[in-house]
Amino acid sequence: YRRMLKMRVPPDAVRHKMKSEGVDEKIIRAVLDKRESTEAQNNLTDEEEVTASKYRRMLKMRVPPEAVRHKMASENVDEKIINAVLSGTTKNEDDAGLSNEEEIIAAKYRRMLKMAVPLEAVKHKMAQDQVEMRIISAVTNEATPDKKAGNTSTKMPALDAPTLSAEEEKTATTYRNMLKVCIPKEAVRHKMKQDGISLKIVEAVLGKENSPALQSSNETAKSTNSKTMKLHWTVSTLAPELLKQSIFAKTEQKKRKLFTINPEESDIKKLEELFQKKTTAKSSAAKAGKSENDKIGSEMAKLLDITRANNIAISLNAFSNFSFRSLAETINDLDPDDKIDSEKVQFIPNLLPTAKEIMAIKKFTGEDDKLITAELFFRQLIPIKRIEDKVKVMQTMASFEEHVEEARSGFQCLQEVCGQVMNSEKLISILEMVLNIGNFMNQGTLDGGVEAFKFESLPKLSQTKSADGKTTVLDYIVETFIEKGERETLFIASDFPRIQESSRTLIGDLMS
């Protein structure tokens, strides 16, 4: 029924519809009375609207809502007007923290996110461009609203985390910001030790090094199939082209074995004996647990490619506030209530099943407990008809306003520059000079005595040279203006301050 109100169905008609369908009076009041009270609260007279407009302009100029509220209270503005002006303007401090210049910088990277560029790639680009940490945090928090800057998910959980003084907190904040932009915890720990940070601050930021969670992650990282200890070397990160030029490309062996010559069995056994791993009770228990997990995994349906399934599961974390059924229903209804953020809408196509995957899901007749996350989600999507078309519609709706604003800005720029071109006296003087010289040089031919020429002919001025090959027509024109004391006419760029911006705007893109 709220959707009916959003579609501008009259409230009385909605009330009649709800009563005719036997809806509880409590629900009717929740749907209609709240709306009427809000409208009554914000329904200002003309005189009140004049007063309110002054403070709305302050909000548009990014004056903090609390400062506007204080200003209105100090000027004894009616509470009704205050509520009408400030309704819906409450924001977290983190969301309103950027200046105008910082917003311009952040806008570039927000557009990359809207174009479905992965968040990690955008973070890497911002770090590469040496963007301030404040802007990186703002863009990251907007892309992942469920992870605010102060969220404890970026910190190592520790029940006995030490209490820091104000000065220590200031030092710790630097390293917490590194965690917020997804720098690995171990890299942050190494940096803090390198900077000589006290153990108290290190534990406050990252937790104790021997915490159960860290031990668990270390055990997982060390679990390999090799019988020997790990050799800690630095792996080459050269590009394939550079690798071909290195010494490693000079050997005929593309796949290296243990030694550069064929090792004998005794050599391998000796190496394993010298550098064998130490087996402990914990590792034995881990192996037993792993075999049990393998047994459980073997009982799953495994309808999808494991890499594809993992990628789908990771992407679904962005929709953690939806159940699979509710997300599927929202997509089927074209999200009329804007429950899905416009940024998230852009990568929904990556979550849709292919024809082959649909067939695999349909053929499976077992229970849901045999399916993994991606397969369960696909089961909810399959009944939706024309789902690809519906997602495209949602993408268009989400990005429509932005595209309209970009097109409007492009047209305005072109219109402004075209007006400057048509009204530039300097350009008219230069073109008139070119026309006169061209008619003189082409006198007595079909190309002489003309009234105009195409702009594509202008490069010919620098290509047509004198008899001695030292002077071009363009050189002659420049010298003529200088000799006549009209040097200033040659500086026509000042007449078109936005010419570079307009040259990057393609008419075809605007028309499409």
Side-chain angles (χ1 to χ4, degrees):
Y1 302 105
R2 291 194 179 109
R3 282 200 291 269
M4 293 174 66
L5 291 171
K6 288 186 178 181
M7 296 169 64
R8 300 185 184 278
V9 176
D12 290 338
V14 176
R15 186 186 298 276
H16 177 73
K17 175 71 171 174
M18 296 175 77
K19 287 184 176 180
S20 65
E21 295 184 355
V23 177
D24 189 90
E25 190 65 31
K26 179 180 177 182
I27 300 176
I28 296 177
R29 286 198 302 272
V31 172
L32 296 173
D33 292 355
K34 183 178 179 181
R35 177 181 182 276
E36 292 169 359
S37 63
T38 302
E39 289 181 350
Q41 183 180 11
N42 295 338
N43 189 18
L44 304 180
T45 64
D46 292 342
E47 186 177 347
E48 290 171 333
E49 274 293 343
V50 172
T51 304
S53 62
K54 168 185 174 182
Y55 302 102
R56 290 197 180 105
R57 281 196 296 271
M58 293 175 66
L59 291 171
K60 289 181 180 178
M61 294 169 66
R62 297 184 179 275
V63 177
E66 289 306 314
V68 177
R69 183 185 296 276
H70 178 74
K71 176 71 172 174
M72 296 172 77
S74 65
E75 295 182 357
N76 298 321
V77 176
D78 188 270
E79 188 68 27
K80 176 183 177 182
I81 301 177
I82 295 177
N83 292 334
V85 171
L86 297 177
S87 59
T89 61
T90 305
K91 295 181 180 180
N92 292 331
E93 292 180 1
D94 291 342
D95 297 333
L98 299 183
S99 65
N100 290 339
E101 293 181 0
E102 290 171 332
E103 279 291 347
I104 293 172
I105 297 172
K108 170 185 174 182
Y109 303 101
R110 290 191 185 110
R111 283 196 294 271
M112 292 175 66
L113 290 170
K114 289 182 180 179
M115 294 167 65
V117 177
L119 179 58
E120 292 304 317
V122 177
K123 289 178 184 175
H124 177 74
K125 177 64 175 172
M126 288 192 286
Q128 192 178 49
D129 294 347
Q130 297 183 346
V131 176
E132 291 184 11
M133 187 67 66
R134 172 188 176 85
I135 301 176
I136 295 177
S137 298
V139 174
T140 303
N141 290 342
E142 291 170 7
T144 55
D146 54 326
K147 297 180 181 178
K148 293 296 181 184
N151 197 317
T152 55
S153 63
T154 60
K155 302 178 183 178
M156 180 70 75
L159 296 175
D160 56 345
T163 304
L164 303 181
S165 65
E167 186 176 349
E168 290 172 331
E169 271 295 343
K170 186 175 181 181
T171 303
T173 300
T174 302
Y175 302 100
R176 289 196 179 107
N177 288 338
M178 294 173 67
L179 291 172
K180 289 176 187 176
V181 295
C182 296
I183 296 177
K185 291 184 175 65
E186 288 308 308
V188 177
R189 187 185 298 276
H190 177 74
K191 176 65 175 171
M192 296 178 78
K193 289 181 178 180
Q194 192 178 47
D195 294 346
I197 305 300
S198 67
L199 182 62
K200 177 183 178 183
I201 301 177
V202 174
E203 291 181 354
V205 175
L206 298 170
K208 292 186 178 180
E209 194 166 6
N210 59 351
S211 63
L214 189 61
Q215 287 179 353
S216 176
S217 64
N218 287 340
E219 288 173 5
T220 303
K222 292 179 181 177
S223 60
T224 64
N225 294 327
S226 176
K227 297 180 181 179
T228 63
M229 293 183 290
K230 183 179 179 181
L231 176 62
H232 296 279
W233 59 11
T234 303
V235 180
S236 170
T237 56
L238 289 175
E241 295 79 10
L242 297 177
L243 189 61
K244 290 178 182 178
Q245 301 172 17
S246 71
I247 191 172
F248 295 99
K250 295 181 180 179
T251 176
E252 295 180 356
Q253 293 176 296
K254 293 184 178 179
K255 294 183 178 179
R256 293 172 175 272
K257 293 187 178 180
L258 192 59
F259 304 103
T260 54
I261 60 173
N262 292 328
E264 296 180 359
E265 185 176 355
S266 59
D267 295 323
I268 297 177
K269 287 184 176 179
K270 182 179 179 181
L271 183 69
E272 290 178 347
E273 289 173 359
L274 289 172
F275 300 98
Q276 65 181 338
K277 285 184 177 180
K278 295 180 180 179
T279 57
T280 62
K282 288 185 178 180
S283 62
S284 300
K287 288 180 180 179
K290 183 177 179 182
S291 62
E292 184 66 23
N293 289 336
D294 290 342
K295 182 179 179 181
I296 295 174
S298 64
E299 297 174 358
M300 304 303 286
K302 296 183 181 179
L303 305 178
L304 304 179
D305 173 75
I306 188 62
T307 303
R308 161 83 165 151
N310 287 339
N311 290 338
I312 294 292
I314 293 170
S315 299
L316 284 173
N317 289 335
F319 302 92
S320 56
N321 54 328
F322 290 89
S323 66
F324 292 164
R325 180 181 293 275
S326 65
L327 180 56
E329 290 174 351
T330 301
I331 295 174
N332 188 40
D333 295 338
L334 299 177
D335 192 15
D337 297 328
D338 295 328
K339 294 179 181 178
I340 304 177
D341 295 335
S342 58
E343 293 85 358
K344 295 179 182 178
V345 171
Q346 301 307 322
F347 60 83
I348 289 181
N350 299 329
L351 303 179
L352 302 183
T354 63
K356 183 178 179 181
E357 291 167 343
I358 292 174
M359 290 296 297
I361 298 295
K362 285 184 174 180
K363 287 180 179 179
F364 180 72
T365 57
E367 298 297 328
D368 284 353
D369 58 356
K370 300 296 183 182
L371 301 179
I372 57 179
T373 302
E375 295 164 349
L376 290 170
F377 177 61
F378 283 177
R379 253 198 174 179
Q380 300 297 328
L381 294 183
I382 287 175
I384 302 177
K385 297 180 180 179
R386 305 186 307 279
I387 187 170
E388 293 85 1
D389 295 336
K390 290 184 176 182
V391 171
K392 287 180 180 178
V393 170
M394 290 174 62
Q395 286 183 301
T396 302
M397 293 167 62
S399 59
F400 180 77
E401 291 296 334
E402 182 184 0
H403 290 165
V404 168
E405 185 57 36
E406 290 178 356
R408 183 184 291 113
S409 176
F411 278 122
Q412 288 174 347
C413 180
L414 285 176
Q415 185 179 17
E416 179 182 338
V417 173
C418 287
Q420 292 169 350
V421 168
M422 295 301 295
N423 297 318
S424 173
E425 294 183 1
K426 293 179 181 180
L427 180 61
I428 293 172
S429 298
I430 293 174
L431 293 179
E432 187 177 2
M433 173 71 78
V434 174
L435 183 62
N436 291 336
I437 292 174
N439 280 330
F440 178 79
M441 295 178 69
N442 294 331
Q443 188 174 6
T445 69
L446 294 176
D447 293 333
V450 299
E451 296 181 352
F453 62 88
K454 292 185 177 181
F455 273 28
E456 63 190 33
S457 306
L458 290 175
K460 299 293 184 182
L461 299 177
S462 61
Q463 298 170 9
T464 307
K465 297 185 177 181
S466 60
D468 61 3
K470 296 180 179 180
T471 307
T472 65
V473 176
L474 181 60
D475 296 333
Y476 172 78
I477 292 174
V478 171
E479 291 172 1
T480 301
F481 274 101
I482 294 174
E483 290 172 358
K484 293 180 176 293
E486 298 291 337
R487 180 189 292 267
E488 190 65 26
T489 304
L490 299 173
F491 298 100
I492 61 174
S494 59
D495 285 2
F496 322 119
R498 300 184 68 186
I499 191 71
Q500 290 294 333
E501 181 182 349
S502 65
S503 68
R504 294 191 292 268
T505 303
L506 302 178
I507 298 294
D509 290 347
L510 294 177
M511 298 301 292
S512 63

